[in-house]
Amino acid sequence: MEKTSTRYRVRDDYATATPVHVVWEITLACNLKCSHCGSRAGKVRPGELTTEQCFGVIDSLKRLGTREITIIGGEAFLRKDWLEIIERINQSGIECSMQSGAYNLTEERIIDAKKAGIRNIGVSIDGMPETHNKIRGRRDSFEHVINCLQLLKKHNIPSSVNTVITKSSKNELDELLDVLIENNVKNWQIQLAVAMGNAVDNSEELILQPYELIDFYDNLILIYRKALANNVLIQAGNNIGYFGPYEHIWRQGNEKYYTGCSAGHTGIGIEADGKIKGCPSLPTSEYTGGNVKDMDLEDIWKYSEEMVFSRYRNKEELWGGCKGCYYESSCLAGCTWTSHVLFGKRGNNPFCHHRALELKKKGLHERIRKTQEAPGLSFDIGLFEIIVENEKGEIVEIQSPNDAHQIPVSDNTNRVPRMPKALKLCNGCDNYVYEEEEICNFCNADVQKVNDEYAVKMEKAIDSLKKLELLMMK
């Protein structure tokens, strides 16, 4: 994906509530056994949509203004009519991409997908060979992925890589970057493993603790710069970052800073049997707005309360460590998927760089502790609590979902879609502050003054670079 990818949102998309990017699970069938799989993919989902029903979904998305559809599974190519679906999406004028585990994504399948109109194929790599193969449940999975990347290059299909960060893979990213550079990968999306489905069962070995984020991001920024120097763009997933001194770097090529959960606001998730959610990763029982077998997709999108929650939410639903945060009005506890699966409700997200840094200033840190296992269903969740500790390891607070208030239900009448509150970067400390503020909340600098000084320094640096280039040309 280039920086001009159709999936990127502009402010008008929020104002009009346009489902810019749709992620569509066209089948739950899968040939991998991933230990972090939120949907517990494997077998075909009962009642998966027919080909004609899929075509109807595409027509509805076209009318709603969708610009890109990413087909996923399970494993998308295990559905017999996957090429027909790609072709119909392409014919509708919507860009079609695919995310794959790449196991047995053969040259023939790749050629057929290109003929059908696929624009981009992303593959998943979750670490170096031993780590990746263990997570994916196949001892030769890494080999298949690398072969797939080489085939995509051979047939001139833009490729990207998606990596789920786990305790095992977090220290392998520099090595993995070398593999991506060698295979001509230009776009690399990373996200933290989330406690849903299989990942709940394996949370002890997979899920990073919130207190680990500071060191992880300090390391990741070095990898990011190395990636840029080698023409690889690292794209932050929806649970990476959240402000702090690297926020303006993570979001290059997308919004300049995190603008809140887009589920049901500028995005849609579709399950293979026709259930519609605001995001493909959200728990099915709590966030299904309807089924296209029973309702028009347009009506589900416009009127279902489970779909529109993110368009009209506000800071009143926040609790725990997110309540009272400086960024609460714009961030709103970050990725709903990441927060809801921990507590059975949204509004509190410990996986936040800014939050970890602020706690460190006070000599505190957070960790999560599982209190209830998941029942073993697709997109299911367990329960966790947040333990706040001091430097001696003494518990100073426990944030439990039982202590959180009920999320308020807002009136459906006269509601206006939420617009992310505008922020500006303070070049004195590389933190974002609200646009109307003159003094930085973090370094107490005059924002306009330090930004003007920074601009002058940059102008001089650019001028010096141009002079050096001229000297080298002589």
Side-chain angles (χ1 to χ4, degrees):
M1 297 168 292
E2 300 298 327
K3 289 185 179 181
T4 54
S5 172
T6 55
R7 74 173 58 173
Y8 292 142
R9 286 85 164 171
V10 297
R11 291 186 71 81
D12 282 352
D13 294 324
Y14 289 95
T16 57
T18 299
V20 174
H21 183 215
V22 173
V23 180
W24 186 356
E25 171 205 278
I26 61 174
T27 182
L28 195 60
C30 192
N31 53 13
L32 293 171
K33 303 172 183 177
C34 301
S35 60
H36 57 33
C37 182
S39 64
R40 302 186 187 268
K43 296 181 180 179
V44 172
R45 192 184 290 280
E48 293 189 353
L49 297 177
T50 65
T51 304
E52 286 304 313
Q53 287 171 331
C54 287
F55 288 172
V57 167
I58 296 165
D59 293 344
S60 292
L61 292 173
K62 174 66 175 176
R63 289 190 291 269
L64 285 169
T66 295
R67 300 198 289 270
E68 180 179 356
I69 297 173
T70 299
I71 59 170
I72 63 169
E75 185 55 78
F77 64 75
L78 294 181
R79 181 175 168 124
K80 292 181 179 179
D81 59 357
W82 72 293
L83 295 172
E84 294 175 61
I85 293 172
I86 294 173
E87 187 173 18
R88 182 63 171 248
I89 293 170
N90 186 50
Q91 290 172 348
S92 74
I94 300 174
E95 186 171 306
C96 184
S97 57
M98 180 171 81
Q99 187 66 35
S100 172
Y103 197 84
N104 280 335
L105 185 48
T106 62
E107 185 165 18
E108 181 182 2
R109 284 174 169 144
I110 287 171
I111 292 170
D112 288 342
K114 184 174 182 180
K115 288 179 181 177
I118 201 75
R119 294 288 297 278
N120 174 284
I121 295 179
V123 299
S124 298
I125 308 180
D126 292 328
M128 295 304 288
E130 184 178 350
T131 297
H132 175 86
N133 291 339
K134 181 180 179 182
I135 288 174
R136 294 279 158 175
R138 295 275 190 178
R139 62 184 179 183
D140 57 347
S141 177
F142 191 88
E143 177 186 333
H144 278 247
V145 174
I146 299 303
N147 180 61
C148 179
L149 285 174
Q150 293 170 349
L151 289 172
L152 293 172
K153 180 180 178 181
K154 175 182 176 180
H155 293 285
N156 198 30
I157 298 176
S159 63
S160 58
V161 167
N162 180 73
T163 298
V164 175
I165 307 299
T166 63
K167 287 186 176 181
S168 300
S169 66
K170 69 182 177 71
N171 296 320
E172 298 180 350
L173 299 184
D174 190 33
E175 229 183 324
L176 182 54
L177 174 59
D178 291 336
V179 174
L180 304 191
I181 294 168
E182 184 180 343
N183 286 278
N184 200 40
V185 172
K186 301 302 180 187
N187 294 277
W188 185 17
Q189 178 167 304
I190 58 172
Q191 66 181 41
L192 301 176
V194 172
M196 170 178 268
N198 290 344
V200 182
D201 306 341
N202 303 296
S203 60
E204 287 294 323
E205 62 183 85
L206 292 177
I207 308 297
L208 268 68
Q209 287 290 352
Y211 65 80
E212 296 180 274
L213 293 178
I214 296 176
D215 289 343
F216 171 67
Y217 286 136
D218 285 345
N219 183 52
L220 183 61
I221 198 65
L222 300 177
I223 297 171
Y224 185 98
R225 288 168 177 150
K226 175 182 172 180
L228 277 187
N230 288 277
N231 201 28
V232 178
L233 178 63
I234 293 181
Q235 296 166 312
N238 289 329
N239 62 12
I240 291 291
Y242 306 143
F243 304 100
Y246 307 140
E247 180 72 7
H248 65 295
I249 301 177
W250 303 140
R251 306 291 164 190
Q252 287 190 40
N254 197 345
E255 294 93 346
K256 292 181 181 178
Y257 48 82
Y258 185 73
T259 53
C261 175
S262 62
H265 196 171
T266 60
I268 292 179
I270 305 176
E271 292 187 7
D273 59 359
K275 293 188 182 75
I276 304 297
K277 303 184 291 188
C279 167
S281 301
L282 289 173
T284 302
S285 58
E286 293 92 339
Y287 288 96
T288 296
N291 193 307
V292 294
K293 294 176 182 177
D294 309 314
M295 299 173 63
D296 290 339
L297 178 52
E298 291 94 329
D299 288 340
I300 297 173
W301 174 254
K302 292 176 183 177
Y303 306 118
S304 170
E305 188 63 36
E306 292 84 358
M307 289 294 294
V308 305
F309 76 92
S310 122
R311 298 178 213 175
Y312 311 110
R313 67 195 301 187
N314 57 56
K315 64 182 183 180
E316 296 305 314
E317 71 178 42
L318 303 185
W319 59 281
C322 284
K323 189 171 184 62
C325 171
Y326 176 77
Y327 294 110
E328 63 178 0
S329 296
S330 52
C331 180
L332 295 172
C335 171
T336 301
W337 172 41
T338 305
S339 59
H340 189 108
V341 300
L342 291 173
F343 313 116
K345 54 171 64 71
R346 56 185 183 266
N348 188 12
N349 188 347
F351 290 97
C352 168
H353 193 204
H354 167 71
R355 178 161 156 179
L357 289 169
E358 291 299 299
L359 283 170
K360 185 178 181 180
K361 293 176 184 177
K362 302 174 184 177
L364 302 173
H365 66 262
E366 292 178 320
R367 61 183 174 89
I368 58 170
R369 180 169 64 187
K370 183 164 56 176
T371 60
Q372 182 177 310
E373 295 289 349
L377 306 173
S378 180
F379 291 115
D380 62 353
I381 65 174
L383 283 179
F384 292 75
E385 60 186 6
I386 299 172
I387 309 298
V388 184
E389 297 173 325
N390 61 23
E391 293 172 331
K392 296 179 181 179
E394 298 167 337
I395 296 176
V396 298
E397 183 187 3
I398 296 178
Q399 296 174 23
S400 167
N402 297 326
D403 302 329
H405 58 76
Q406 186 70 30
I407 293 175
V409 177
S410 55
D411 184 3
N412 281 329
T413 60
N414 301 318
R415 295 195 297 187
V416 178
R418 174 183 66 88
M419 289 290 289
K421 196 172 180 182
L423 297 165
K424 61 185 177 184
L425 184 67
C426 171
N427 289 126
C429 62
D430 287 336
N431 281 296
Y432 279 98
V433 296
Y434 287 103
E435 206 166 56
E436 67 274 13
E437 294 184 355
E438 298 179 357
I439 303 300
C440 178
N441 185 73
F442 302 98
C443 67
N444 295 318
D446 182 315
V447 178
Q448 188 62 54
K449 181 180 178 181
V450 295
N451 285 0
D452 288 344
E453 290 172 351
Y454 179 83
V456 170
K457 290 178 182 178
M458 283 299 297
E459 189 175 343
K460 288 180 178 178
I462 292 171
D463 185 55
S464 298
L465 181 60
K466 288 179 179 178
K467 289 178 180 178
L468 180 61
E469 289 175 343
L470 288 173
L471 287 172
M472 294 176 66
M473 292 173 63
K474 291 182 179 180

